[in-house]
Amino acid sequence: MPQIKFLLDEKDLPTRWYNIQADLPQPLPPVIHPGTLQPIGPADLAPLFPMEIIKQEVSQERWIDIPEPVRDVYRQWRPTPLYRARRLEQALDTPARIYYKWEGVSPAGSHKPNTAVAQAYYNKQEGVRRLTTETGAGQWGSALAFACQAFDLECKVYMVRVSYDQKPYRRLMMECWGARVLPSPSTDTRAGRAVLAKDPSSPGSLGIAISEAVEEAVQREDTKYSLGSVLNHVLMHQTVIGLEARLQLEQAGERPDVLVGCIGGGSNFGGFAFPFLADKLAGRRKDLRVVAVEPQACPSLTKGAYVYDFGDTGQMTPLVKMYTLGHSFIPAPIHAGGLRYHGMAPLVCALYDQKVIEAVAVHQNPTFEAALTFARAEGFLPAPEAAHAIRTVIDEALRCKQSGERKVIAFNFCGHGHFDLSAYERYLGGKLEDYEYPTEKVKEALAGLPRVGG
Ligand SMILES: Cc1ncc(COP(=O)(O)O)c(C=O)c1O
């Protein structure tokens, strides 16, 4: 009988995060100030983030120590298990061996606390009293609410309107951990009021919610902003996932052929894949395939342009070079709320541009079909975001069935779907829509991009 769970001891919890910036073939393009069009410096970011986070954002050190109080909170649920999906393998009748790293065991139910806890800690250390943030699916907001509770900080969450309406229980979870939650666009900020003036029934987007949270942080001395994805330090904090998974796959005696993760802003994918990519970048694992999966309704890597753009709709953030659909693009209200972001982590974009990683886009209905295949075999009910990775894993495993290849496929199972049951209800009732790629809307949004250099 094959072993099912590969578990690590608490003493195996990583002591350092891996910073892939040290190993990139070329350094990342600079982040640009939208006013001066010059590279920004630490002072430009100081109203938003504590200094330690700003240092981490630009650090070229390969390893960064995880502070003991952060590891102490991590120990509440880490190391997380790695599973062999042998029942799924049987259901698919595939010769492939499938493994998943299960991040849904965290208090908030996803990978998001890995960075939330670190960010709350550094803010507390530097005397910050309150944090603002945005949330899509509610996973990030609940992770930050939990982390703020752990370090005694106030937390205010701007939750994308469509998710606020679809997921009342996520909001309640945040409130249980003491956070204040508003639907975004809201009337609390200038950015929110501007959107509402144009479209009072706006479904919101991550881009709009970011503008609101940033605006409030900039205006208040006691408040800073916390971002749940996209930025280099966030992806680095998530590397605890891949560092553990590497040890666990070694324990299983396996060498992965294909790694898969879904991408919203790129953090669970980066956190899982980067520690393995270190080998590929060093030339030791040239054959390793790493696949990022995004929704067809918001296909930033597969259909976006690699240019400088704002991280938010209200143009409050600096300009970053990324694959983007345009900061004014508002994705269709798919149930994977955490994947409705117009841009992508610059680190993921650079690796895609340099053809180190691949990307695919999948539709909503086949994604839920894959989620149910998985849930009926393995038991765990995936978050709609995680189901995107599962769709691609199943497709890879079925290709192995055709070819007879015994590939080792590993994916990051980044969260459970216990608060996404209304989406499952719609799928089971045949009511889920597949949204075609909105060519015209993206063209319009891309036409409004700032012009920076070449
Ligand atoms: C469960 C889950 N997976 C994935 C994502 C996408 O974010 P990222 O690409 O940063 O992992 C989210 C975002 O909210 C999420 O909640």
Side-chain angles (χ1 to χ4, degrees):
M1 289 296 272
Q3 187 173 338
I4 298 165
K5 291 191 296 303
F6 297 87
L7 304 171
L8 298 173
D9 285 343
E10 279 183 25
K11 67 173 171 41
D12 300 322
L13 181 68
T15 55
R16 301 180 302 176
W17 292 299
Y18 169 60
N19 180 16
I20 199 170
Q21 288 197 71
D23 293 325
L24 288 183
Q26 294 147 25
L28 285 181
V31 176
I32 300 285
H33 190 289
T36 63
L37 296 188
Q38 294 303 311
I40 58 161
D44 296 307
L45 293 176
L48 291 181
F49 303 114
M51 213 28 89
E52 188 53 38
I53 293 276
I54 296 173
K55 278 198 223 148
Q56 290 183 0
E57 188 60 20
V58 293
S59 171
Q60 301 295 311
E61 295 292 319
R62 183 167 292 112
W63 297 102
I64 292 187
D65 287 342
I66 307 176
E68 205 40 52
V70 172
R71 293 182 79 238
D72 189 52
V73 182
Y74 279 176
R75 265 194 290 272
Q76 195 73 16
W77 72 96
R78 303 208 72 85
T80 61
L82 178 88
Y83 275 78
R84 167 98 184 258
R86 64 164 194 337
R87 294 172 66 89
L88 178 65
E89 292 166 16
Q90 282 158 12
L92 300 175
D93 189 23
T94 175
R97 297 195 292 287
I98 304 174
Y99 291 85
Y100 55 93
K101 179 70 168 157
W102 182 211
E103 287 295 304
V105 293
S106 78
S110 77
H111 64 295
K112 297 279 178 181
N114 296 330
T115 183
V117 169
Q119 293 192 45
Y121 168 77
Y122 290 122
N123 275 286
K124 184 72 182 182
Q125 283 291 97
E126 296 186 29
V128 175
R129 221 177 51 74
R130 297 172 76 242
L131 287 179
T132 58
T133 197
E134 72 292 329
T135 196
Q139 290 268 23
W140 166 244
S142 43
L144 194 69
F146 155 72
C148 283
Q149 189 56 238
F151 291 104
D152 194 23
L153 293 166
E154 268 181 45
C155 182
K156 181 166 171 191
V157 183
Y158 289 92
M159 184 171 189
V160 175
R161 167 109 246 167
V162 57
S163 297
Y164 187 91
D165 294 337
Q166 281 170 355
K167 299 184 179 185
Y169 295 123
R170 273 276 163 206
R171 169 174 60 78
L172 284 163
M173 199 174 182
M174 293 184 252
E175 288 172 355
C176 287
W177 277 316
R180 192 167 154 235
V181 188
L182 289 184
S184 166
S186 78
T187 53
D188 270 29
T189 65
R190 191 194 49 74
R193 289 190 295 272
V195 176
L196 287 173
K198 273 202 208 145
D199 178 8
S201 59
S202 167
S205 70
L206 279 172
I208 296 169
I210 293 173
S211 299
E212 294 206 85
V214 166
E215 183 181 324
E216 181 171 337
V218 168
Q219 280 169 0
R220 283 187 60 155
E221 199 53 42
D222 63 347
T223 303
K224 291 214 188 291
Y225 166 68
S226 177
L227 186 64
S229 189
V230 180
L231 297 177
N232 305 336
H233 67 270
V234 178
L235 273 59
M236 185 189 72
H237 295 156
Q238 293 292 355
T239 59
V240 284
I241 304 172
L243 291 166
E244 289 177 7
R246 272 185 69 135
L247 289 177
Q248 289 162 310
L249 280 167
E250 270 168 35
Q251 230 184 60
E254 298 284 25
R255 205 176 97 113
D257 298 300
V258 189
L259 299 175
V260 182
C262 70
I263 45 168
S267 78
N268 87 85
F269 170 81
F272 177 59
F274 287 178
F276 294 92
L277 276 177
D279 288 342
K280 182 161 173 143
L281 290 169
R284 288 189 294 269
R285 279 301 317 269
K286 286 196 182 131
D287 55 333
L288 175 68
R289 287 181 52 218
V290 180
V291 187
V293 191
E294 58 188 10
Q296 282 280 4
C298 192
S300 25
L301 275 193
T302 52
K303 296 270 178 62
Y306 191 35
V307 290
Y308 274 96
D309 193 9
F310 291 100
D312 69 321
T313 307
Q315 309 188 355
M316 313 264 311
T317 69
L319 297 169
V320 291
K321 188 162 182 190
M322 59 182 175
Y323 281 87
T324 177
L325 299 167
H327 59 269
S328 62
F329 173 70
I330 299 186
I334 52 166
H335 285 272
L339 307 187
R340 292 179 70 243
Y341 182 59
H342 66 272
M344 184 50 57
L347 279 169
V348 173
C349 294
L351 292 164
Y352 183 63
D353 185 55
Q354 291 161 26
K355 304 203 168 20
V356 179
I357 63 167
E358 304 165 30
V360 292
V362 294
H363 271 304
Q364 185 161 239
N365 274 301
T367 296
F368 274 84
E369 184 198 343
L372 283 194
T373 304
F374 181 86
R376 287 172 183 172
E378 293 293 313
F380 300 116
L381 195 67
E385 291 83 0
H388 284 69
I390 295 172
R391 174 72 267 164
T392 298
V393 166
I394 291 180
D395 290 344
E396 286 285 338
L398 291 176
R399 273 195 285 278
C400 288
K401 183 176 172 178
Q402 295 269 310
S403 67
E405 285 170 292
R406 301 194 70 232
K407 284 189 185 163
V408 176
I409 305 169
F411 74 98
N412 194 27
F413 186 11
C414 53
H416 69 65
H418 297 176
F419 296 97
D420 301 285
L421 289 170
S422 64
Y424 280 95
E425 184 181 25
R426 287 183 62 79
Y427 174 71
L428 290 169
K431 292 193 190 130
L432 269 197
E433 250 181 89
D434 280 340
Y435 298 94
E436 278 318 315
Y437 172 65
T439 313
E440 279 311 308
K441 270 173 71 185
V442 173
K443 218 158 118 190
E444 215 175 280
L446 287 176
L449 290 193
R451 307 239 169 278
V452 183

